[in-house]
Amino acid sequence: MEDQESTVIPSIQVGDWVESGVDWLTGNFREIFRTFSDVLETLINGLIDALLFVPPDLMIVVLVLLGLILRSWQFAVGSALGLSAVVAMGMWEAAMQTLGIVVFATVVAVLIAVPIGVLAARNRVVSNIVQPVLDFMQTMPAFVYLVPAVILFGIGFVPGLLSTIVFALPPGVRLTELGIRQVDAETVEAGQAFGATPRQILRGIQLPLATPTIMAGVNQVIMLALSMAVIAGMAGADGLGKLIVESIARLDVGLGAEAGLSVVVLAIYLDRLTASIGGSGSDKSLGALIRRSRGRSVAQRVTTGI
Amino acid sequence: MSAIEAHGVFKIFGRRPERGVRALQEGRDREELRARGLTPAVIDATFSVDPGEIFVVMGLSGSGKSTLIRTVNRLLDPTAGSVVIGGTDISSLDGAALRQVRREKVSMVFQHFALLPHRTVGENAAYGLEVQGVNRSDREARAEEALGMVGLDGWGASLPSELSGGMRQRVGLARALAAGTDIMLMDEAFSALDPLIRREMQDQLIDLQQRLDKTILFITHDLNEAMRLGDHIAMMRDGRIEQIGTAEEILNNPVNNYVAEFVQDVDRTRVLTAANIMEQPVALLGSGAGPRAAQKLMREHQLNWLLVVNRDRTVEGLLWSHGVASAVHDGQDALPLYRDGLRFTSPDTTLNDLFAEAASSPAPLIVRDDAGRLLGVIPDVTLLAAMGNGQPGGNGETPGVSPHDIQTPIDGSTAEVV
């Protein structure tokens, strides 16, 4: 491709450098990448197998009950209808494969994101380094990760999984940092004034008070993971994404619609569920009711000194 | 030994704050430092707090009082100077030793309560003990006891969000009490409460302080609160302590115009006490004397009343000039003592409470100590004058008495006893 050339600025071959970098990695560390890939593949397959081992009917009952406990009966009814529709359309297996990738990627992303967020909240230097890296991860078009990931890890779940993690990570870090920074300064001072160690302050004050914000971050991670899991279908990861890619290739409008609707059901279910874990929570949920009544009785025991 | 002793404490915000300390010591003012990017919040603060007293630091917002209190437990590190708590200079302590001091010696109550919303009231009150590593059953018992002291029995199971502002601050107080430290720092602890609740909390604090003998460093921007609570008051302005003294000293002898202007709006009737305005009687009559001696004394001094005292200075009664005149006229030997209408008061009764008592009798108020010995008198005119301009000693009809003299019991030489 010809482009306008400047007489002042020399041209640089960033593309060539990255390419030779990836070549060098594959040339020298092929075995390590393959082994890593195999391990991940085994783990994700195990998770998906477990999800598929449960009969769809039973799985729906479990998911609906979860919705009832954590949110409301209205949500439970809605998710029962939506999930049944997924089964009716014959999309259950693909949906569970996608769910597996999303769950796995989310867990890994949160495990990485929260500690980084905590570090960034406590240290300006870390924060200043982390910010541009997150910007890079979030704005670099997702497809760009996919190609080197496929070269390094081969076709299958793993490249999709890894690019999903990279793509979904940033809001987890950002909202953890934000959540901890916006904890009332006087409350943290109270911890210090009573002689709490930094660890006691983090665990007893900052993390609990930042939980709603951190959970909003986890919710974002899940939603990004879901959208990326569909793109991961291009790299050969089984699931709804792969069906959508197929439907585009074959111009199969029907398949595309069915797979697409299933993604929507999964997305809404995961979004509402994680949003209600986020703390503010609705009072209509069974869980909130149970928590309230149990909280009372425990606290009463505390005050009566039994 | 003082409970808290601060010496030459500076706190300056900005880059390389030490240069600010030097500049201030060389006599530059705050504005010059501002221009160099430094914000001096506390300048050369020196004070000492005795064990078991309430020491109030009073100043408007921006005067540096909240910064000052935070240097006492090193939530903020002083830029220069030393803070000694119970004999330990905390300026040089490392993290662990400092935490030890905060756990065992100094607790704190915050302006906006700073409770943990996800924990119950009981768990909040037990927070200091939890940090100290006290086991669950002990800390629950002590937290419950502390909640009882602040009048929150039975609230341990509630969440802070279910409590009113005043009750939340009681939890904050209970948390500090439960920690079991001798010293409590209170940073504008009652400022966020409405006036009625604030007054109630002040009463409770005074009561608790007397029962538990805590040393309290109290920060406020409310002068009336400072006057009510403080055994000593430090007036702060622009980072400097302008004056330290008792409420009376600051009211009656302000060191400069700033303090004087500040205190002019204070409700003196709540601060000044009987001891501040009482006068020495011009003359006293011994209880063994007769009506003729009384009449002579009253003529000499142009009095229309005269107190009769016993040898131990307890008050026997009061004579009116007309009563004495008719007793002399009738040739009686017994003094026509007036006793039923006499009003007595203690030296620490506030002016506010004196008005009601004074109004009910034509006789002057008699100030006496716990043993019933006469300390002084307050005629109506003196009380009215005190209300009018707040100056002790009245308006020249009677000899002016300085506040220092009037607190000492009358000695015989100042009043003529026959």
Side-chain angles (χ1 to χ4, degrees):
Chain A
M1 197 186 345
E2 286 299 312
D3 200 355
Q4 284 180 316
E5 281 174 22
S6 163
T7 49
V8 183
I9 304 168
S11 72
I12 52 170
Q13 269 69 46
V14 175
D16 292 347
W17 299 341
V18 173
E19 224 170 279
S20 51
V22 171
D23 284 346
W24 181 77
L25 282 175
T26 43
N28 292 289
F29 302 101
R30 183 175 211 87
E31 285 314 308
I32 295 173
F33 281 114
R34 291 292 155 167
T35 315
F36 182 68
S37 172
D38 289 345
V39 172
L40 272 185
E41 187 96 30
T42 315
L43 286 174
I44 185 76
N45 274 322
L47 178 61
I48 290 170
D49 286 347
L51 288 172
L52 285 172
F53 176 76
V54 185
D57 313 346
L58 183 59
M59 193 66 180
I60 291 177
V61 171
V62 171
L63 294 177
V64 167
L65 275 179
L66 213 57
L68 183 66
I69 291 169
L70 293 173
R71 200 171 168 96
S72 64
W73 65 267
Q74 290 95 330
F75 173 62
V77 171
S79 44
L81 289 174
L83 292 168
S84 305
V86 173
V87 177
M89 291 185 292
M91 289 287 144
W92 186 255
E93 186 178 348
M96 286 302 106
Q97 287 165 336
T98 299
L99 183 64
I101 298 177
V102 170
V103 169
F104 197 95
T106 303
V107 169
V108 175
V110 168
L111 285 180
I112 298 171
V114 172
I116 293 178
V118 169
L119 282 178
R122 304 179 128 204
N123 190 323
R124 271 276 159 217
V125 178
V126 174
S127 177
N128 289 340
I129 294 170
V130 164
Q131 288 304 334
V133 176
L134 294 181
D135 293 336
F136 178 91
M137 287 161 70
Q138 233 175 348
T139 49
M140 180 63 92
F143 295 98
V144 180
Y145 301 134
L146 222 47
V147 183
V150 169
I151 295 171
L152 289 175
F153 299 102
I155 298 284
F157 280 120
V158 178
L161 191 65
L162 291 178
S163 35
T164 303
I165 291 169
V166 170
F167 187 67
L169 197 67
V173 179
R174 278 190 218 281
L175 284 162
T176 302
E177 180 181 351
L178 176 70
I180 288 185
R181 277 192 192 280
Q182 71 187 12
V183 168
D184 177 31
E186 215 183 36
T187 315
V188 176
E189 271 190 337
Q192 292 169 339
F194 282 94
T197 60
R199 175 182 291 266
Q200 281 172 324
I201 290 172
L202 181 67
R203 291 182 48 166
I205 297 175
Q206 288 173 314
L207 281 179
L209 295 190
T211 299
T213 313
I214 295 176
M215 284 312 294
V218 172
N219 174 272
Q220 289 298 300
V221 170
I222 290 177
M223 299 317 285
L224 284 180
L226 189 61
S227 70
M228 189 63 196
V230 173
I231 296 172
M234 295 180 127
D238 289 330
L240 295 170
K242 200 175 190 183
L243 296 181
I244 289 167
V245 173
E246 262 177 50
S247 78
I248 294 168
R250 303 206 315 243
L251 296 177
D252 187 340
V253 178
L255 179 65
E258 286 172 343
L261 279 175
S262 303
V263 170
V264 171
V265 169
L266 218 50
I268 293 180
Y269 178 80
L270 290 173
D271 177 60
R272 301 295 190 274
L273 194 70
T274 50
S276 55
I277 299 173
S280 62
S282 71
D283 291 326
K284 291 180 287 183
S285 77
L286 203 58
L289 270 175
I290 294 168
R291 265 200 307 281
R292 275 201 298 276
S293 62
R294 193 187 298 147
R296 285 241 177 273
S297 64
V298 167
Q300 259 151 21
R301 250 184 295 131
V302 168
T303 50
T304 51
I306 298 169
Chain B
M1 187 173 52
S2 303
I4 304 171
E5 203 162 318
H7 190 80
V9 172
F10 285 80
K11 178 64 191 179
I12 297 169
F13 295 101
R15 275 170 179 276
R16 294 196 295 117
E18 311 77 34
R19 62 198 165 112
V21 176
R22 246 173 289 124
L24 285 164
Q25 281 166 344
E26 284 162 12
R28 325 238 161 178
D29 65 11
R30 268 160 73 102
E31 294 314 312
E32 286 178 69
L33 266 72
R34 287 248 166 77
R36 291 153 76 180
L38 294 173
T39 312
V42 174
I43 303 167
D44 200 11
T46 299
F47 62 91
S48 79
V49 182
D50 293 333
E53 77 163 333
I54 301 183
F55 188 99
V56 177
V57 178
M58 145 82 214
L60 299 178
S61 53
S63 62
K65 57 193 190 302
S66 282
T67 307
L68 179 63
I69 200 175
R70 280 165 172 69
T71 60
V72 171
N73 63 351
R74 265 183 66 194
L75 284 179
L76 292 172
D77 277 318
T79 311
S82 69
V83 176
V84 178
I85 290 178
T88 314
D89 184 349
I90 63 156
S91 334
S92 55
L93 297 181
D94 64 4
L98 180 61
R99 280 195 289 277
Q100 209 60 27
V101 168
R102 288 170 177 172
R103 287 175 189 185
E104 289 166 4
K105 292 188 178 162
V106 193
S107 54
M108 191 160 178
V109 181
F110 293 85
Q111 180 173 10
H112 302 290
F113 325 137
L115 301 177
L116 302 177
H118 61 292
R119 289 162 167 246
T120 64
V121 166
E123 287 165 348
N124 266 293
Y127 182 75
L129 299 167
E130 185 187 327
V131 167
Q132 290 171 25
V134 174
N135 71 49
R136 180 175 284 273
S137 57
D138 282 0
R139 67 175 189 246
E140 277 163 4
R142 281 168 65 183
E144 182 59 22
E145 191 191 343
L147 285 173
M149 282 187 238
V150 298
L152 283 179
D153 314 75
W155 285 91
S158 308
L159 287 173
S161 57
E162 297 165 348
L163 271 54
S164 67
M167 290 164 85
R168 283 183 213 181
Q169 192 56 297
R170 283 168 206 264
V171 180
L173 198 52
R175 176 171 62 183
L177 290 172
T181 58
D182 288 336
I183 300 171
M184 284 166 61
L185 307 179
M186 302 186 70
D187 178 23
E188 301 240 18
F190 304 150
S191 300
L193 307 176
D194 61 55
L196 269 179
I197 307 286
R198 194 184 308 170
R199 208 176 154 94
E200 214 178 293
M201 295 290 286
Q202 289 165 357
D203 289 337
Q204 192 167 40
L205 184 71
I206 293 171
D207 177 54
L208 281 169
Q209 198 271 340
Q210 280 167 358
R211 261 163 52 203
L212 304 172
D213 203 31
K214 300 276 183 193
T215 306
I216 296 172
L217 180 58
F218 194 101
I219 301 289
T220 184
H221 63 254
D222 175 352
L223 189 59
N224 281 317
E225 183 167 76
M227 297 275 168
R228 260 192 74 142
L229 293 177
D231 293 314
H232 284 97
I233 298 168
M235 301 283 293
M236 257 186 116
R237 178 176 65 155
D238 293 344
R240 293 181 194 272
I241 294 179
E242 301 272 329
Q243 183 173 9
I244 297 179
T246 63
E248 288 83 1
E249 282 166 9
I250 286 178
L251 265 184
N252 295 328
N253 302 310
V255 287
N256 57 26
N257 277 341
Y258 176 77
V259 176
E261 266 174 44
F262 212 99
V263 298
Q264 72 179 3
D265 292 333
V266 167
D267 184 354
R268 288 159 185 278
T269 63
R270 292 181 192 284
V271 178
L272 292 178
T273 60
N276 292 124
I277 63 162
M278 68 184 181
E279 299 163 2
Q280 311 297 346
V282 181
L284 290 169
L285 189 68
S287 54
R292 277 170 213 290
Q295 194 174 39
K296 178 173 174 282
L297 202 54
M298 291 172 91
R299 280 220 187 105
E300 252 170 46
H301 294 283
Q302 307 259 306
L303 301 170
N304 72 337
W305 53 264
L306 181 64
L307 277 180
V308 181
V309 295
N310 297 313
R311 285 200 170 278
D312 61 356
R313 298 209 164 272
T314 54
V315 177
E316 183 65 26
L318 182 137
L319 298 169
W320 293 109
S321 54
H322 56 83
V324 171
S326 55
V328 170
H329 184 262
D330 298 346
Q332 289 175 7
D333 287 335
L335 290 169
L337 283 173
Y338 172 84
R339 286 202 180 101
D340 296 344
L342 289 185
R343 306 286 162 203
F344 295 99
T345 190
S346 66
D348 51 6
T349 310
T350 58
L351 253 57
N352 199 28
D353 295 328
L354 289 178
F355 291 131
E357 294 188 38
S360 61
S361 164
L365 272 166
I366 296 165
V367 186
R368 57 181 186 179
D369 64 14
D370 292 341
R373 286 188 298 262
L374 176 69
L375 295 175
V377 293
I378 305 175
D380 291 354
V381 283
T382 307
L383 191 56
L384 289 172
M387 184 173 64
N389 63 14
Q391 292 307 310
N395 270 346
E397 280 172 283
T398 47
V401 190
S402 83
H404 297 292
D405 296 336
I406 50 183
Q407 281 166 356
T408 55
I410 306 166
D411 83 73
S413 63
T414 59
E416 182 177 348
V417 183
V418 176

